[in-house]
Amino acid sequence: MADDGKTEVLYYSEVESYIENLQRFPLNEIGTLKWFGQHEMLEKLNLQALLEAKEHREEVVSERFQFFDKMTMLVDVLVSQDVWSDKVFPHVLSQMKRATQAFPTYMVVFHTVTVASLLETLTYREPFCQALEDCTLDLIDWCHSCIGDQILRRDEEAFTKRIFRRHSQGAASLDEGPLTLKAQKEDIDVILSVKAVGILGHLIQHASVLSLSALTRMVDHHDLPILLAGLLDNNPWTIRNGKQTFKFVNGEWRLIDTEDYFLLTQTEGQLWIALHQILLHPEFIPKYYLNEFRKNRLLRMQSLLNEALLDQLPALADLQRYLHTLTFMQTPMPKKGLIIEQTPFIRERLLRSGDEMKWKTLASSYVQSILSDEGMLKNIAQRMASVYTADNMDNVLPEKAKCARCGYPAKQRCSGCKMEWYCRRQCQVQQWPKHKKVCSQMSAVTDTA
C-alpha cells in the first residue's frame, strides 16, 4: 500500500528503475533466469499500468516509458517473443521429456500476452502512439498477423471441439506435458488476437499523429477496413455448437444465453468503433481508394447495423448514414502515381539468415540448459508466484469474481491456491474433483516462494 492509501503494485521509484533497466534479449537467451527477471518486471509494470488506467490516475508507467525512450524496445520484445513462439516453440515441444518442464515453457509463451497487454494499455494515449515512430509498422504487422491466425484457426474442427469438451469437463492442469502445452498455446493465441484488436483500435483512433507510412500500411497494404468488416461478418471469437453459442469474453470462452446473444462483447464493440473511425476519420478518407470490390464488401455491413446494435453504440448511426450514401456513390477512377513504401524492420532482422536448423539448435539449447536444471525450474516458479499474488490480480480484474462452479458472484476464495472463487460451500465441494490437481500444484509453488 502507498502512503496515501492507494493500492500500488509498484512505487514510483520502482517503476522508474524497472523501465530504465529494460533491455533486449537475443533469441538464444529467452527463457534464462535473467530473462525471467525481466519478465517479472514487465508483468508488474503491466499490472501497475492497468491499475492506473482502471482508477483514472496519473499514468506514470506511460510517461516513464516515453521519458526513457523505451517504446521501440517494447515492440522489439513483442516481435522477438512472437518469432520464438512461431519458430522455436514447436521444436521445444518435440524435445520435452518431463511434465515438470511445461510450466516454465508456458510462462515463456505467455510473456507475449504480458507485453501485448502492456502495449494495449499504453497505446490508449496519443503521446505514446506518436512516440512509437517507425516501429509502429512492426506493431501493425504483428496485430494483423495475430488476427489472421485466429481467422484461420476458427475453421479447424479440432480447435472448436476442444472448446466444447473443455466446457463440459473443466480446465486442464498446467503440468500435463506437451499435448496440454500445445492446447494452451492455442488459448494464448486467442488472447493475443483480442489484444491485437485493442491495439489496432487505439492506433486508428490516434491516426492524426501517426506517420504516412503507418497510415498507408493500414489502409493499403493490409486493407484494414475490409479486414474489420470480415471480422464483424464472420466473428472468430464466437463459436456455435448446435443450439449453444460460445463467446470469448475476458480471456475465456463462455456459454452465452439466448437472450444475451445480441449483447456486444468488448472485442465486438472495439471492432465496430475501429471500422467507424477508419472509414470516417479525416486522415484515412483521402488515402483509402474505394473500388467496386471494397464498396460491395462494405455495403454488406448494412444488414448488421440493426436496432439492437445501434442502441448499444449510438455513434454507429454515422456509419450507417455513410454506408447508405455509399450505395449511390460511383467509384472513382484509380489514381496513378509513384508509391514509396517504408517496411517494418524488427521481424526481418530477427529472421535474417535463420533456417530450420537454427531454430532446432535454439530449442535444444533451451531444453538442455534451462529445462534440465531442477534448481532453476524451482527458482522460476518462486519468481512467478511472487508476481501473480491474489492481491495483485484482484486489483486489476475486469469484473467481480465469479463462482468457478456456477458463475454467480462469489465472495469466498479457495484457501489452498487462493486462485478460484466460490459462492457457497456446496459449489466448492462439487468443483473439487476438477480443481484438486491444479490447487495442489499452485499451493506447492506458493508455499516455496
Side-chain angles (χ1 to χ4, degrees):
M1 295 289 289
D3 294 338
D4 59 2
K6 291 182 179 179
T7 303
E8 301 286 359
V9 178
L10 295 171
Y11 292 102
Y12 182 91
S13 58
E14 292 176 310
V15 170
E16 193 166 60
S17 176
Y18 280 15
I19 295 176
E20 185 178 11
N21 289 289
L22 291 177
Q23 58 180 298
R24 294 178 176 87
F25 281 87
L27 294 175
N28 63 336
E29 292 186 18
I30 289 179
T32 61
L33 202 56
K34 186 178 180 181
W35 178 93
F36 265 102
Q38 177 154 299
H39 168 73
E40 181 182 352
M41 291 193 296
L42 281 170
E43 187 59 84
K44 288 181 177 179
L45 287 169
N46 175 43
L47 294 174
Q48 180 64 27
L50 286 170
L51 190 61
E52 291 172 353
K54 179 182 178 181
E55 299 185 357
H56 305 287
R57 301 191 204 162
E58 178 185 359
E59 296 181 1
V60 175
V61 175
S62 177
E63 190 274 328
R64 290 293 90 184
F65 262 104
Q66 295 172 65
F67 179 82
F68 290 111
D69 195 20
K70 294 284 187 174
M71 294 77 64
T72 302
M73 191 230 60
L74 201 56
V75 177
D76 195 299
V77 170
L78 179 71
V79 178
S80 297
Q81 285 297 131
D82 188 59
V83 171
W84 193 93
S85 298
D86 184 36
K87 301 294 185 180
V88 181
F89 176 72
H91 297 296
V92 171
L93 283 181
S94 66
Q95 298 178 36
M96 284 176 55
K97 298 179 180 179
R98 301 195 308 275
T100 54
Q101 297 174 329
F103 177 72
T105 305
Y106 172 83
M107 294 309 304
V108 171
V109 178
F110 186 79
H111 184 64
T112 317
V113 177
T114 298
V115 182
S117 179
L118 181 55
L119 278 167
E120 183 185 21
T121 303
L122 298 180
T123 52
Y124 181 75
R125 294 301 180 189
E126 184 177 282
F128 187 90
C129 291
Q130 185 174 15
L132 287 171
E133 297 181 343
D134 291 344
C135 67
T136 307
L137 302 178
D138 289 275
L139 187 55
I140 292 169
D141 275 21
W142 177 84
C143 292
H144 182 269
S145 175
C146 285
I147 295 171
D149 289 345
Q150 188 56 32
I151 294 173
L152 296 175
R153 187 171 291 111
R154 182 185 187 277
D155 297 326
E156 296 177 3
E157 186 176 355
F159 176 71
T160 55
K161 282 184 176 179
R162 184 169 60 82
I163 294 171
F164 304 145
R165 185 169 61 250
R166 178 189 297 170
H167 180 75
S168 59
Q169 296 179 358
S173 166
L174 278 180
D175 209 18
E176 295 178 2
L179 291 178
T180 300
L181 195 57
K182 182 179 179 181
Q184 289 165 344
K185 169 63 166 60
E186 293 179 353
D187 293 338
I188 287 174
D189 289 341
V190 180
I191 297 173
L192 290 175
S193 66
V194 171
K195 299 295 181 186
V197 170
I199 293 171
L200 271 183
H202 295 160
L203 292 176
I204 292 170
Q205 180 183 358
H206 303 309
S208 58
V209 300
L210 300 184
S211 66
L212 177 61
S213 297
L215 301 181
T216 303
R217 194 84 180 167
M218 285 194 275
V219 298
D220 189 15
H221 187 86
H222 291 310
D223 200 351
L224 287 190
I226 298 302
L227 174 66
L228 294 170
L231 290 171
L232 289 165
D233 200 20
N234 190 22
N235 190 342
W237 301 284
T238 298
I239 296 178
R240 296 177 181 85
N241 179 29
K243 294 183 178 180
Q244 292 183 319
T245 299
F246 292 84
K247 289 189 177 185
F248 195 74
V249 181
N250 290 331
E252 63 179 1
W253 291 99
R254 295 185 183 178
L255 181 63
I256 303 299
D257 294 333
T258 304
E259 58 269 23
D260 294 334
Y261 178 79
F262 290 103
L263 288 179
L264 287 177
T265 65
Q266 179 178 331
T267 304
E268 291 168 341
Q270 288 173 326
L271 289 170
W272 277 111
I273 293 172
L275 181 64
H276 173 275
Q277 291 178 330
I278 204 168
L279 289 176
L280 301 179
H281 198 291
E283 293 290 338
F284 287 114
I285 291 175
K287 298 176 179 63
Y288 190 60
Y289 165 64
L290 273 171
N291 55 30
E292 281 297 323
F293 167 77
R294 288 174 170 173
K295 173 184 174 180
N296 293 332
R297 185 65 189 84
L298 291 173
L299 287 177
R300 287 169 56 182
M301 304 308 297
Q302 287 180 301
S303 61
L304 300 179
L305 287 163
N306 51 48
E307 187 175 339
L309 176 61
L310 293 174
D311 283 344
Q312 296 174 78
L313 287 176
L316 294 182
D318 293 335
L319 178 61
Q320 188 179 46
R321 285 191 290 269
Y322 168 81
L323 294 175
H324 180 71
T325 303
L326 189 62
T327 306
F328 306 100
M329 184 185 300
Q330 294 293 324
T331 54
M333 293 293 293
K335 297 180 180 179
K336 296 182 179 180
L338 177 65
I339 299 177
I340 301 176
E341 183 179 6
Q342 186 178 356
T343 58
F345 61 91
I346 298 176
R347 189 178 183 88
E348 181 64 27
R349 169 173 55 79
L350 293 168
L351 295 177
R352 192 176 299 135
S353 72
D355 54 28
E356 203 63 25
M357 186 57 66
K358 172 186 175 182
W359 310 126
K360 287 183 179 180
T361 302
L362 285 174
S364 298
S365 175
Y366 169 80
V367 172
Q368 293 170 11
S369 63
I370 299 172
L371 296 189
S372 300
D373 188 334
E374 292 294 336
M376 183 177 291
L377 294 182
K378 184 177 180 180
N379 195 321
I380 290 171
Q382 291 173 347
R383 279 181 174 271
M384 296 304 99
S386 69
V387 176
Y388 301 108
T389 63
D391 289 339
N392 280 348
M393 302 309 296
D394 289 349
N395 290 330
V396 296
L397 285 176
E399 57 184 26
K400 293 183 179 180
K402 293 184 177 179
C403 179
R405 178 69 182 177
C406 65
Y408 282 98
K411 294 183 178 181
Q412 300 174 350
R413 184 156 47 190
C414 174
S415 60
C417 65
K418 295 181 173 58
M419 297 300 291
E420 278 206 356
W421 292 81
Y422 301 99
C423 63
R424 52 182 175 164
R425 175 68 178 171
Q426 183 181 354
C427 282
Q428 185 175 13
V429 172
Q430 292 174 349
Q431 184 70 7
W432 180 244
K434 296 180 180 180
H435 178 58
K436 181 177 180 180
K437 190 172 183 179
V438 175
C439 182
S440 61
Q441 293 168 352
M442 295 303 297
S443 298
V445 170
T446 304
D447 292 341
T448 58

